[in-house]
Amino acid sequence: MVTPQQYRLVIQKLPPLMKQVLRNESMTATNMVMEDVFKLKPAQGDAMMVIIQDLIAREITPAQIRGRVDLDLKLPPNVAAAFTRELLGRVVLPMEWYVGNVEGLIRELGGQPEEYLRQAQEFFPEVYAHTPTARPVTPSAPAITPNPTPEVQPILANLEERLTTFKGRAEILLRLTALSQHVEAVAAKKLIDQKRSQELIQALDALSYAVNTQDLNPLEVQAVKRRLTKVVNDIGQLPA
């Protein structure tokens, strides 16, 4: 199992296309839907996020997900099979080119990969706009042009609550990484000077360190919220 610190390093080294997939709003929304549909308890929701992170870090393969679901979520066998099938089809399938075969596993669990594939093509056009290679590149003309800073508003939503759970902190860390990448991209276009970009990136790194703290007290939560709101608002005003 990767620690939050290790996972952050993994995220930084991912291919550009994988970073796009993880930044996609559909990924966060799908995780939340999975929790609602299967009525997961908070600890089970956290366990699901750990499984996904371990997969992305290549600590496990897609074929090992079912075993981890049985071990960590402790769902009834029929529910565990359905949960694994949905997790593979709705969350893992857009990463198949990176993590390994998924469609065959969906069939083994009684699912139809084609149904999940249609949804993946709609929600993750960046993946299916071209054929990824061993070193995928960001498509020059994705089917849907993202907002320059799509993470700005979602990262502030329910912030206090999310800072108190493992799953919430993991989501925030993902979005902080995406914001750092956006600042770097803006700096690369010379739309802001190097000093300003470094100030913003250092602020994001400091926030990431704070968010990684496991037990923030109420005062620390408020301090992180104030700093994060200011930095996010500053980034939201950057030129596209």
mmCIF file with all atom_site columns, all heavy atoms in Angstrom, residues 41 67 71 83 89 98 134 146 148 153 167-169 179 182 191 211 214:
data_model
loop_
_atom_site.group_PDB
_atom_site.id
_atom_site.type_symbol
_atom_site.label_atom_id
_atom_site.label_alt_id
_atom_site.label_comp_id
_atom_site.label_asym_id
_atom_site.label_entity_id
_atom_site.label_seq_id
_atom_site.pdbx_PDB_ins_code
_atom_site.Cartn_x
_atom_site.Cartn_y
_atom_site.Cartn_z
_atom_site.occupancy
_atom_site.B_iso_or_equiv
_atom_site.pdbx_formal_charge
_atom_site.auth_seq_id
_atom_site.auth_comp_id
_atom_site.auth_asym_id
_atom_site.auth_atom_id
_atom_site.pdbx_PDB_model_num
ATOM 1   N N   . LYS A 1 41  ? -19.706 2.596  3.609   1.00 0.00 ? 41  LYS A N   1
ATOM 2   C CA  . LYS A 1 41  ? -19.418 3.351  4.823   1.00 0.00 ? 41  LYS A CA  1
ATOM 3   C C   . LYS A 1 41  ? -18.133 4.150  4.600   1.00 0.00 ? 41  LYS A C   1
ATOM 4   O O   . LYS A 1 41  ? -17.360 3.844  3.685   1.00 0.00 ? 41  LYS A O   1
ATOM 5   C CB  . LYS A 1 41  ? -19.265 2.394  6.002   1.00 0.00 ? 41  LYS A CB  1
ATOM 6   C CG  . LYS A 1 41  ? -20.538 1.613  6.313   1.00 0.00 ? 41  LYS A CG  1
ATOM 7   C CD  . LYS A 1 41  ? -20.298 0.606  7.422   1.00 0.00 ? 41  LYS A CD  1
ATOM 8   C CE  . LYS A 1 41  ? -21.550 -0.200 7.711   1.00 0.00 ? 41  LYS A CE  1
ATOM 9   N NZ  . LYS A 1 41  ? -21.330 -1.235 8.740   1.00 0.00 ? 41  LYS A NZ  1
ATOM 10  N N   . GLY A 1 67  ? -9.620  -9.365 -5.256  1.00 0.00 ? 67  GLY A N   1
ATOM 11  C CA  . GLY A 1 67  ? -9.115  -9.848 -3.982  1.00 0.00 ? 67  GLY A CA  1
ATOM 12  C C   . GLY A 1 67  ? -9.019  -8.745 -2.945  1.00 0.00 ? 67  GLY A C   1
ATOM 13  O O   . GLY A 1 67  ? -9.341  -8.962 -1.763  1.00 0.00 ? 67  GLY A O   1
ATOM 14  N N   . LEU A 1 71  ? -10.944 -8.352 0.625   1.00 0.00 ? 71  LEU A N   1
ATOM 15  C CA  . LEU A 1 71  ? -10.160 -8.215 1.851   1.00 0.00 ? 71  LEU A CA  1
ATOM 16  C C   . LEU A 1 71  ? -10.437 -6.906 2.579   1.00 0.00 ? 71  LEU A C   1
ATOM 17  O O   . LEU A 1 71  ? -10.598 -6.882 3.808   1.00 0.00 ? 71  LEU A O   1
ATOM 18  C CB  . LEU A 1 71  ? -8.664  -8.311 1.510   1.00 0.00 ? 71  LEU A CB  1
ATOM 19  C CG  . LEU A 1 71  ? -7.680  -8.191 2.687   1.00 0.00 ? 71  LEU A CG  1
ATOM 20  C CD1 . LEU A 1 71  ? -7.840  -9.376 3.625   1.00 0.00 ? 71  LEU A CD1 1
ATOM 21  C CD2 . LEU A 1 71  ? -6.249  -8.100 2.165   1.00 0.00 ? 71  LEU A CD2 1
ATOM 22  N N   . PHE A 1 83  ? -19.565 -4.814 -7.427  1.00 0.00 ? 83  PHE A N   1
ATOM 23  C CA  . PHE A 1 83  ? -18.765 -3.623 -7.140  1.00 0.00 ? 83  PHE A CA  1
ATOM 24  C C   . PHE A 1 83  ? -17.474 -3.634 -7.956  1.00 0.00 ? 83  PHE A C   1
ATOM 25  O O   . PHE A 1 83  ? -17.101 -2.617 -8.557  1.00 0.00 ? 83  PHE A O   1
ATOM 26  C CB  . PHE A 1 83  ? -18.444 -3.558 -5.649  1.00 0.00 ? 83  PHE A CB  1
ATOM 27  C CG  . PHE A 1 83  ? -17.541 -2.416 -5.269  1.00 0.00 ? 83  PHE A CG  1
ATOM 28  C CD1 . PHE A 1 83  ? -18.067 -1.163 -4.988  1.00 0.00 ? 83  PHE A CD1 1
ATOM 29  C CD2 . PHE A 1 83  ? -16.165 -2.582 -5.209  1.00 0.00 ? 83  PHE A CD2 1
ATOM 30  C CE1 . PHE A 1 83  ? -17.232 -0.101 -4.648  1.00 0.00 ? 83  PHE A CE1 1
ATOM 31  C CE2 . PHE A 1 83  ? -15.331 -1.537 -4.877  1.00 0.00 ? 83  PHE A CE2 1
ATOM 32  C CZ  . PHE A 1 83  ? -15.869 -0.294 -4.594  1.00 0.00 ? 83  PHE A CZ  1
ATOM 33  N N   . GLY A 1 89  ? -15.117 -1.104 -14.796 1.00 0.00 ? 89  GLY A N   1
ATOM 34  C CA  . GLY A 1 89  ? -15.717 -0.522 -15.990 1.00 0.00 ? 89  GLY A CA  1
ATOM 35  C C   . GLY A 1 89  ? -15.806 0.988  -15.971 1.00 0.00 ? 89  GLY A C   1
ATOM 36  O O   . GLY A 1 89  ? -15.628 1.635  -17.009 1.00 0.00 ? 89  GLY A O   1
ATOM 37  N N   . TYR A 1 98  ? -2.722  1.998  -19.552 1.00 0.00 ? 98  TYR A N   1
ATOM 38  C CA  . TYR A 1 98  ? -1.590  2.221  -18.646 1.00 0.00 ? 98  TYR A CA  1
ATOM 39  C C   . TYR A 1 98  ? -1.456  1.108  -17.599 1.00 0.00 ? 98  TYR A C   1
ATOM 40  O O   . TYR A 1 98  ? -0.342  0.692  -17.277 1.00 0.00 ? 98  TYR A O   1
ATOM 41  C CB  . TYR A 1 98  ? -1.760  3.564  -17.928 1.00 0.00 ? 98  TYR A CB  1
ATOM 42  C CG  . TYR A 1 98  ? -0.598  3.937  -17.042 1.00 0.00 ? 98  TYR A CG  1
ATOM 43  C CD1 . TYR A 1 98  ? 0.612   4.357  -17.588 1.00 0.00 ? 98  TYR A CD1 1
ATOM 44  C CD2 . TYR A 1 98  ? -0.709  3.864  -15.649 1.00 0.00 ? 98  TYR A CD2 1
ATOM 45  C CE1 . TYR A 1 98  ? 1.686   4.688  -16.775 1.00 0.00 ? 98  TYR A CE1 1
ATOM 46  C CE2 . TYR A 1 98  ? 0.356   4.201  -14.824 1.00 0.00 ? 98  TYR A CE2 1
ATOM 47  C CZ  . TYR A 1 98  ? 1.550   4.615  -15.398 1.00 0.00 ? 98  TYR A CZ  1
ATOM 48  O OH  . TYR A 1 98  ? 2.612   4.940  -14.579 1.00 0.00 ? 98  TYR A OH  1
ATOM 49  N N   . ALA A 1 134 ? 3.546   3.850  -25.481 1.00 0.00 ? 134 ALA A N   1
ATOM 50  C CA  . ALA A 1 134 ? 4.213   3.616  -24.201 1.00 0.00 ? 134 ALA A CA  1
ATOM 51  C C   . ALA A 1 134 ? 4.551   4.937  -23.521 1.00 0.00 ? 134 ALA A C   1
ATOM 52  O O   . ALA A 1 134 ? 4.648   5.002  -22.313 1.00 0.00 ? 134 ALA A O   1
ATOM 53  C CB  . ALA A 1 134 ? 5.477   2.787  -24.404 1.00 0.00 ? 134 ALA A CB  1
ATOM 54  N N   . PRO A 1 146 ? -10.796 21.632 -22.117 1.00 0.00 ? 146 PRO A N   1
ATOM 55  C CA  . PRO A 1 146 ? -11.062 21.876 -20.707 1.00 0.00 ? 146 PRO A CA  1
ATOM 56  C C   . PRO A 1 146 ? -10.909 23.338 -20.345 1.00 0.00 ? 146 PRO A C   1
ATOM 57  O O   . PRO A 1 146 ? -10.223 24.095 -21.017 1.00 0.00 ? 146 PRO A O   1
ATOM 58  C CB  . PRO A 1 146 ? -9.987  21.032 -20.012 1.00 0.00 ? 146 PRO A CB  1
ATOM 59  C CG  . PRO A 1 146 ? -8.865  20.988 -20.999 1.00 0.00 ? 146 PRO A CG  1
ATOM 60  C CD  . PRO A 1 146 ? -9.509  20.985 -22.353 1.00 0.00 ? 146 PRO A CD  1
ATOM 61  N N   . PRO A 1 148 ? -9.253  26.312 -18.478 1.00 0.00 ? 148 PRO A N   1
ATOM 62  C CA  . PRO A 1 148 ? -7.831  26.418 -18.129 1.00 0.00 ? 148 PRO A CA  1
ATOM 63  C C   . PRO A 1 148 ? -7.515  25.975 -16.711 1.00 0.00 ? 148 PRO A C   1
ATOM 64  O O   . PRO A 1 148 ? -6.464  25.438 -16.451 1.00 0.00 ? 148 PRO A O   1
ATOM 65  C CB  . PRO A 1 148 ? -7.540  27.914 -18.316 1.00 0.00 ? 148 PRO A CB  1
ATOM 66  C CG  . PRO A 1 148 ? -8.529  28.349 -19.345 1.00 0.00 ? 148 PRO A CG  1
ATOM 67  C CD  . PRO A 1 148 ? -9.768  27.540 -19.079 1.00 0.00 ? 148 PRO A CD  1
ATOM 68  N N   . GLN A 1 153 ? -12.705 25.683 -8.627  1.00 0.00 ? 153 GLN A N   1
ATOM 69  C CA  . GLN A 1 153 ? -13.890 25.672 -7.781  1.00 0.00 ? 153 GLN A CA  1
ATOM 70  C C   . GLN A 1 153 ? -14.091 24.348 -7.035  1.00 0.00 ? 153 GLN A C   1
ATOM 71  O O   . GLN A 1 153 ? -14.366 24.367 -5.836  1.00 0.00 ? 153 GLN A O   1
ATOM 72  C CB  . GLN A 1 153 ? -15.128 26.027 -8.621  1.00 0.00 ? 153 GLN A CB  1
ATOM 73  C CG  . GLN A 1 153 ? -15.113 27.463 -9.127  1.00 0.00 ? 153 GLN A CG  1
ATOM 74  C CD  . GLN A 1 153 ? -14.869 28.467 -8.011  1.00 0.00 ? 153 GLN A CD  1
ATOM 75  O OE1 . GLN A 1 153 ? -15.436 28.342 -6.915  1.00 0.00 ? 153 GLN A OE1 1
ATOM 76  N NE2 . GLN A 1 153 ? -14.023 29.452 -8.265  1.00 0.00 ? 153 GLN A NE2 1
ATOM 77  N N   . LYS A 1 167 ? -9.967  9.919  2.169   1.00 0.00 ? 167 LYS A N   1
ATOM 78  C CA  . LYS A 1 167 ? -10.426 10.054 0.794   1.00 0.00 ? 167 LYS A CA  1
ATOM 79  C C   . LYS A 1 167 ? -10.450 11.530 0.377   1.00 0.00 ? 167 LYS A C   1
ATOM 80  O O   . LYS A 1 167 ? -10.022 11.893 -0.715  1.00 0.00 ? 167 LYS A O   1
ATOM 81  C CB  . LYS A 1 167 ? -11.824 9.454  0.647   1.00 0.00 ? 167 LYS A CB  1
ATOM 82  C CG  . LYS A 1 167 ? -12.449 9.655  -0.726  1.00 0.00 ? 167 LYS A CG  1
ATOM 83  C CD  . LYS A 1 167 ? -13.808 8.983  -0.782  1.00 0.00 ? 167 LYS A CD  1
ATOM 84  C CE  . LYS A 1 167 ? -14.472 9.234  -2.132  1.00 0.00 ? 167 LYS A CE  1
ATOM 85  N NZ  . LYS A 1 167 ? -14.869 10.632 -2.311  1.00 0.00 ? 167 LYS A NZ  1
ATOM 86  N N   . GLY A 1 168 ? -10.963 12.389 1.272   1.00 0.00 ? 168 GLY A N   1
ATOM 87  C CA  . GLY A 1 168 ? -11.032 13.812 0.948   1.00 0.00 ? 168 GLY A CA  1
ATOM 88  C C   . GLY A 1 168 ? -9.659  14.419 0.747   1.00 0.00 ? 168 GLY A C   1
ATOM 89  O O   . GLY A 1 168 ? -9.445  15.193 -0.190  1.00 0.00 ? 168 GLY A O   1
ATOM 90  N N   . ARG A 1 169 ? -8.710  14.057 1.602   1.00 0.00 ? 169 ARG A N   1
ATOM 91  C CA  . ARG A 1 169 ? -7.349  14.583 1.454   1.00 0.00 ? 169 ARG A CA  1
ATOM 92  C C   . ARG A 1 169 ? -6.713  14.085 0.163   1.00 0.00 ? 169 ARG A C   1
ATOM 93  O O   . ARG A 1 169 ? -5.978  14.820 -0.505  1.00 0.00 ? 169 ARG A O   1
ATOM 94  C CB  . ARG A 1 169 ? -6.496  14.185 2.669   1.00 0.00 ? 169 ARG A CB  1
ATOM 95  C CG  . ARG A 1 169 ? -6.849  14.949 3.940   1.00 0.00 ? 169 ARG A CG  1
ATOM 96  C CD  . ARG A 1 169 ? -5.771  14.775 5.000   1.00 0.00 ? 169 ARG A CD  1
ATOM 97  N NE  . ARG A 1 169 ? -5.678  13.395 5.431   1.00 0.00 ? 169 ARG A NE  1
ATOM 98  C CZ  . ARG A 1 169 ? -6.351  12.875 6.441   1.00 0.00 ? 169 ARG A CZ  1
ATOM 99  N NH1 . ARG A 1 169 ? -7.203  13.637 7.112   1.00 0.00 ? 169 ARG A NH1 1
ATOM 100 N NH2 . ARG A 1 169 ? -6.194  11.609 6.788   1.00 0.00 ? 169 ARG A NH2 1
ATOM 101 N N   . LEU A 1 179 ? -3.129  21.746 -10.149 1.00 0.00 ? 179 LEU A N   1
ATOM 102 C CA  . LEU A 1 179 ? -2.927  23.198 -10.133 1.00 0.00 ? 179 LEU A CA  1
ATOM 103 C C   . LEU A 1 179 ? -1.451  23.537 -10.342 1.00 0.00 ? 179 LEU A C   1
ATOM 104 O O   . LEU A 1 179 ? -1.125  24.508 -11.033 1.00 0.00 ? 179 LEU A O   1
ATOM 105 C CB  . LEU A 1 179 ? -3.428  23.786 -8.810  1.00 0.00 ? 179 LEU A CB  1
ATOM 106 C CG  . LEU A 1 179 ? -4.947  23.831 -8.633  1.00 0.00 ? 179 LEU A CG  1
ATOM 107 C CD1 . LEU A 1 179 ? -5.300  24.331 -7.235  1.00 0.00 ? 179 LEU A CD1 1
ATOM 108 C CD2 . LEU A 1 179 ? -5.610  24.713 -9.676  1.00 0.00 ? 179 LEU A CD2 1
ATOM 109 N N   . HIS A 1 182 ? -0.781  23.329 -13.925 1.00 0.00 ? 182 HIS A N   1
ATOM 110 C CA  . HIS A 1 182 ? -1.343  24.474 -14.650 1.00 0.00 ? 182 HIS A CA  1
ATOM 111 C C   . HIS A 1 182 ? -0.420  25.690 -14.529 1.00 0.00 ? 182 HIS A C   1
ATOM 112 O O   . HIS A 1 182 ? -0.171  26.392 -15.510 1.00 0.00 ? 182 HIS A O   1
ATOM 113 C CB  . HIS A 1 182 ? -2.728  24.816 -14.097 1.00 0.00 ? 182 HIS A CB  1
ATOM 114 C CG  . HIS A 1 182 ? -3.307  26.062 -14.688 1.00 0.00 ? 182 HIS A CG  1
ATOM 115 N ND1 . HIS A 1 182 ? -3.719  26.139 -16.001 1.00 0.00 ? 182 HIS A ND1 1
ATOM 116 C CD2 . HIS A 1 182 ? -3.515  27.291 -14.155 1.00 0.00 ? 182 HIS A CD2 1
ATOM 117 C CE1 . HIS A 1 182 ? -4.172  27.366 -16.246 1.00 0.00 ? 182 HIS A CE1 1
ATOM 118 N NE2 . HIS A 1 182 ? -4.055  28.068 -15.142 1.00 0.00 ? 182 HIS A NE2 1
ATOM 119 N N   . LEU A 1 191 ? 3.501   33.625 -19.751 1.00 0.00 ? 191 LEU A N   1
ATOM 120 C CA  . LEU A 1 191 ? 2.379   34.521 -19.441 1.00 0.00 ? 191 LEU A CA  1
ATOM 121 C C   . LEU A 1 191 ? 2.526   35.114 -18.045 1.00 0.00 ? 191 LEU A C   1
ATOM 122 O O   . LEU A 1 191 ? 1.850   36.085 -17.709 1.00 0.00 ? 191 LEU A O   1
ATOM 123 C CB  . LEU A 1 191 ? 1.057   33.759 -19.559 1.00 0.00 ? 191 LEU A CB  1
ATOM 124 C CG  . LEU A 1 191 ? 0.736   33.221 -20.964 1.00 0.00 ? 191 LEU A CG  1
ATOM 125 C CD1 . LEU A 1 191 ? -0.544  32.411 -20.950 1.00 0.00 ? 191 LEU A CD1 1
ATOM 126 C CD2 . LEU A 1 191 ? 0.623   34.376 -21.959 1.00 0.00 ? 191 LEU A CD2 1
ATOM 127 N N   . VAL A 1 211 ? -1.802  19.265 4.020   1.00 0.00 ? 211 VAL A N   1
ATOM 128 C CA  . VAL A 1 211 ? -2.933  18.358 3.790   1.00 0.00 ? 211 VAL A CA  1
ATOM 129 C C   . VAL A 1 211 ? -2.535  16.922 4.112   1.00 0.00 ? 211 VAL A C   1
ATOM 130 O O   . VAL A 1 211 ? -3.359  16.116 4.558   1.00 0.00 ? 211 VAL A O   1
ATOM 131 C CB  . VAL A 1 211 ? -3.438  18.473 2.334   1.00 0.00 ? 211 VAL A CB  1
ATOM 132 C CG1 . VAL A 1 211 ? -4.456  17.387 2.010   1.00 0.00 ? 211 VAL A CG1 1
ATOM 133 C CG2 . VAL A 1 211 ? -4.058  19.842 2.103   1.00 0.00 ? 211 VAL A CG2 1
ATOM 134 N N   . GLN A 1 214 ? -2.063  13.888 9.053   1.00 0.00 ? 214 GLN A N   1
ATOM 135 C CA  . GLN A 1 214 ? -3.205  12.995 9.261   1.00 0.00 ? 214 GLN A CA  1
ATOM 136 C C   . GLN A 1 214 ? -4.282  13.570 10.190  1.00 0.00 ? 214 GLN A C   1
ATOM 137 O O   . GLN A 1 214 ? -5.454  13.350 9.984   1.00 0.00 ? 214 GLN A O   1
ATOM 138 C CB  . GLN A 1 214 ? -2.716  11.655 9.822   1.00 0.00 ? 214 GLN A CB  1
ATOM 139 C CG  . GLN A 1 214 ? -1.862  10.892 8.838   1.00 0.00 ? 214 GLN A CG  1
ATOM 140 C CD  . GLN A 1 214 ? -2.615  10.600 7.543   1.00 0.00 ? 214 GLN A CD  1
ATOM 141 O OE1 . GLN A 1 214 ? -3.663  9.984  7.563   1.00 0.00 ? 214 GLN A OE1 1
ATOM 142 N NE2 . GLN A 1 214 ? -2.087  11.055 6.427   1.00 0.00 ? 214 GLN A NE2 1
#
